[in-house]
Structure formats: structure tokens, C-alpha cells
Amino acid sequence: MALFDTLGKYEAVFLEQMNDAFISINSNWIITQVNTRASRLLNRTREELLHQCICDLNPDGFADDFCDQLRKVFVEQVNVQFRTFDRMLEIWFEVHAYPVEMGIYMLFQEVENQKSLEPEEEFYYRSLFLQNPDAVYLMDLDGNFLEVNPSAEKMLGCTRTALLKSNFRLFCTPSEIDKTNRHFQLACAGIPQRYELNIVTRDGSMRVIDVSNVPISIDGRVVGVYGISKDITERKQIEGALRLSERGLAQSQQIAQVGHWELDLKTDALTCSKETLRIFGGEAMEEAIPSEVPFSMIHPDDRRTVKEAFEQAIKGEPLRLEHRIIRPDGMERVLLMQGHAVGDDRSHVFGIVQDITEQKRTEQLIMENQMRYRSLLAYNSVWLHWTCTVTTSRSIQLLSG
């Protein structure tokens, strides 16, 4: 800081004799001093630069991290050195910024033959990091945060300044520390990792995140770990609700003995619910099976009827028919099949199948009982007529005698 202590006495002379461009800004980010070198590099007069906010000076020109770097000087009171690209002037600048009592002193100069990154690549990289909707961060080999993007701040509920002084393990639930350490050590050994993790944010809320750890290697040596985390809490909650819903649906289908199915006519693949497979007696079968498997179980006398019904469904007619199957265990069952074809080409047929065997047996019993009743009624009617006839004849004989 001895360099800047001389500014009070020989300010004007010293600034003009400097080889570097110089700008000073106060605590409100307003430019208070500019030397001729800075004016020439920025292609602005001193009057155009003075009393302007440094971040508003060239909003479409400076790289996205320019103001972030100056903010770091203000907040953390540390010296920073960085390179930035001015898209308006198409110039790379090497910038040194120092905190002082009245604000920031900034020295910069044009970088000749900048080849480390092309301007557009640098711009896209910074945009990908800063504007990424997922949390992106860099860690050293001990797990300390070296850099974080705004999404990481939002996910963890901490400011960048606080995170850069902390370790990722602070956010892990106690039950998952060992698992997290194993994945992190493998990443440090050069093996990329991906896993799910339960974390506790600063406000105490529990979140589930999908974590990717990628080793950062320089000359074949791992020097850090690059992390990307996506908050999947809502997705996990939806998955849990769907599992409950599917379990409830499966139980409902089992109680009602109704299963659902989908036939892809292009691939001839039949996707069935578990209850559909149970109805066909194939609990051990996969849920996606060739259509000929259940078709081969259809009773030989019903196959033509089933085939014709599907042909009509492909033409747009609703599918509804009863048919019999012979299951692998030899048991014959009666099914009610309903469905319809969908799509412009009607290449998919959706439907349900219900085991109505017991219903048909009940109907058969009712019919048989009705026939017995009718037979009994007819027999009783003849007997009653004969009885009445005999009784009447005897009565006449008694009366006439």
C-alpha cells in the first residue's frame, strides 16, 4: 500500500507517469479519478468517465464477472487479480484491484496475444457457470468451497462469502457423511461420481439433491473437484406419491380382477399391468411381452373372434368381447376385453381385461336354477290340474248319488 500512500502529495504527476491505466472508485462505485492511460484504453475522455458508476460505464461490454470481482474487493477487503474481456472494444484487460479507505484503486493494462481462451469461449463459460440453474461449485481436495455460482447460494441458503469459508460436509446429514466421503475420495482419485444425497440447508430444511463430482486434473494430477448439484426434492416427492398411487391401483385391480394393457402394433410388444399378467397366469413373465404369448392362451374356438375384434378396433371400432383362455396351469377362464386404438395411424391399442369367470358361473347357476324352477312349475301345474280334475269328478258323483 506504500505505492498508494504517495498519491496524496504527488497525485496528478504520479498518475500521469504510471505505465498502467488507473481508475479509483468510491464506496458508491462512482469513478473519482482517471489517468490519461485509462482514458485512452477505454476510448473515453476523462470527463466522460468521471462521476460515472463503474458498472454502468459499459454494461454491454464488460464480461459478466467484472462487477463480481470488484464486489469481492469491497465485501472481503482483499486484493484481486483477474482478466476480463471488453466485448465493445474487443480488448483483454489484466486488472489488479486493491481495497483502500475511500473505495478501490484499480490498475489495468491491455493483454497482448491473449490465447488462453477466446473471447466468446470465455463469455460462454462464465455464462454457463453464473447462469446455470443447477448449483455449480469448485472444491479443493479437502472439500472446501473455492467458488460457487448463484444457484448454489440459493440451494444452500448461504451467501457466496459464507460458502467460501465452509466445507461441503457441513450440509450433509449425519447418516450420509460416510457415503459422501467415499464418493468424494473417489472423485479426488480421478473417478467421476454421481449419487443422490440428503442435505440440510442453512434454514434447517431437508432437501434431496442429485450430485455429480468431476475431478479437475492439471498435468495428470487431480488438484480439485468440480461439483454440479440439482435439487430433486419435488421429483422424489412425486415419485413417492406415484409409488403409493401405483400400489393402490395394483391393489384395486387385484380386488376387482381388472388389469390394463397396451399393444404396440408396430413392434408387436404388449405391455401389461401385474394384474393382467396374474389373470393370464403369468406372474413370472415380464411386464412387456410379445403379443403372441397371451394370444396363444386364447381358447382355439375363440381365436378367430378375438382376431376379428382387433382388426375392427384398428379401423376405429370400439373393442369389446368375451372370450376364453386356457392358462398354463390348464385352468380355463372367461375374460371380458375392452379397448380402443389411438393415434393417427391407430398403431397403439389401449384396453382393460377383467376375469369374469366367477360372474359367468354365477350367471350359469342362475340360468340352471331358473330352468329347474320352470320345470318344477310346469310339473306342479300338471299335477295340480290332474288333482283338481279328479276331485271335481268325485264331488259330482257324490252330489248325483
Side-chain angles (χ1 to χ4, degrees), residues 206-209 230-242:
M206 299 283 293
R207 310 298 293 176
V208 185
I209 59 175
K230 184 179 186 68
D231 190 333
I232 58 171
T233 306
E234 292 184 1
R235 191 188 81 190
K236 301 298 286 187
Q237 291 172 344
I238 293 172
E239 288 176 355
L242 285 175

Side-chain angles (χ1 to χ4, degrees), residues 246-265:
E246 289 174 356
R247 190 178 301 124
L249 176 62
Q251 291 173 347
S252 299
Q253 288 188 352
Q254 185 172 3
I255 292 171
Q257 292 187 314
V258 176
H260 64 267
W261 51 269
E262 174 188 349
L263 175 62
D264 186 339
L265 297 174

Side-chain angles (χ1 to χ4, degrees), residues 63-311:
D64 295 340
D65 65 336
F66 178 77
C67 292
D68 290 335
Q69 294 288 353
L70 297 185
R71 186 177 293 106
K72 181 177 180 180
V73 180
F74 272 125
V75 174
E76 301 180 22
Q77 290 293 293
V78 294
N79 302 338
V80 298
Q81 176 183 348
F82 61 96
R83 288 187 176 185
T84 187
F85 182 72
D86 189 315
R87 294 185 292 271
M88 299 293 290
L89 300 175
E90 297 186 352
I91 295 175
W92 278 94
F93 290 116
E94 178 84 33
V95 182
H96 297 255
Y98 306 88
V100 293
E101 185 177 352
M102 66 288 294
I104 294 177
Y105 285 161
M106 189 169 62
L107 301 175
F108 58 99
Q109 57 184 343
E110 182 180 355
V111 180
E112 300 290 345
N113 300 321
Q114 167 69 11
K115 295 181 179 179
S116 60
L117 279 177
E118 292 298 324
E120 284 195 20
E121 292 176 336
E122 171 70 11
F123 170 69
Y124 290 137
Y125 171 78
R126 295 301 305 179
S127 295
L128 179 63
F129 180 79
L130 295 172
Q131 300 178 28
N132 199 309
D134 296 333
V136 184
Y137 44 92
L138 277 70
M139 299 175 287
D140 63 21
L141 296 179
D142 293 322
N144 300 310
F145 291 111
L146 300 177
E147 188 57 273
V148 297
N149 73 345
S151 294
E153 297 179 71
K154 181 179 179 181
M155 184 181 75
L156 298 174
C158 294
T159 64
R160 175 177 175 274
T161 302
L163 287 173
L164 295 186
K165 298 177 182 178
S166 62
N167 189 286
F168 78 89
R169 295 175 180 86
L170 294 175
F171 301 94
C172 298
T173 58
S175 61
E176 296 201 327
I177 284 289
D178 290 341
K179 180 186 80 171
T180 308
N181 281 333
R182 287 196 300 271
H183 286 292
F184 184 75
Q185 292 304 320
L186 288 170
C188 292
I191 305 171
Q193 299 292 299
R194 183 172 182 179
Y195 54 99
E196 291 183 3
L197 178 66
N198 293 306
I199 64 169
V200 182
T201 64
R202 185 179 181 182
D203 64 4
S205 61
M206 299 283 293
R207 310 298 293 176
V208 185
I209 59 175
D210 181 9
V211 182
S212 295
N213 288 154
V214 181
I216 303 172
S217 300
I218 298 178
D219 297 328
R221 182 171 63 91
V222 177
V223 297
V225 174
Y226 189 73
I228 302 175
S229 294
K230 184 179 186 68
D231 190 333
I232 58 171
T233 306
E234 292 184 1
R235 191 188 81 190
K236 301 298 286 187
Q237 291 172 344
I238 293 172
E239 288 176 355
L242 285 175
R243 281 195 294 271
L244 289 174
S245 177
E246 289 174 356
R247 190 178 301 124
L249 176 62
Q251 291 173 347
S252 299
Q253 288 188 352
Q254 185 172 3
I255 292 171
Q257 292 187 314
V258 176
H260 64 267
W261 51 269
E262 174 188 349
L263 175 62
D264 186 339
L265 297 174
K266 292 182 178 179
T267 62
D268 199 36
L270 181 67
T271 303
C272 303
S273 68
K274 291 182 179 180
E275 182 59 19
T276 300
L277 296 178
R278 193 198 66 77
I279 288 172
F280 277 86
E283 289 87 344
M285 293 190 298
E286 297 293 332
E287 292 186 25
I289 57 177
S291 63
E292 61 263 19
V293 174
F295 187 79
S296 65
M297 299 181 192
I298 296 174
H299 194 286
D301 294 341
D302 295 344
R303 289 179 184 175
R304 181 176 179 179
T305 303
V306 173
K307 183 178 179 182
E308 290 175 351
F310 270 89
E311 289 174 350

Side-chain angles (χ1 to χ4, degrees), residues 298-299 301-307 309 319-325 333-338 352-357 359-361 363:
I298 296 174
H299 194 286
D301 294 341
D302 295 344
R303 289 179 184 175
R304 181 176 179 179
T305 303
V306 173
K307 183 178 179 182
L319 174 66
R320 181 182 174 87
L321 78 155
E322 295 179 6
H323 67 86
R324 294 163 295 172
I325 62 169
R333 309 296 291 180
V334 182
L335 308 183
L336 172 61
M337 187 83 70
Q338 300 181 78
I352 62 172
V353 59
Q354 182 178 10
D355 188 337
I356 59 172
T357 306
Q359 177 184 332
K360 300 301 288 186
R361 286 176 180 171
E363 291 176 358

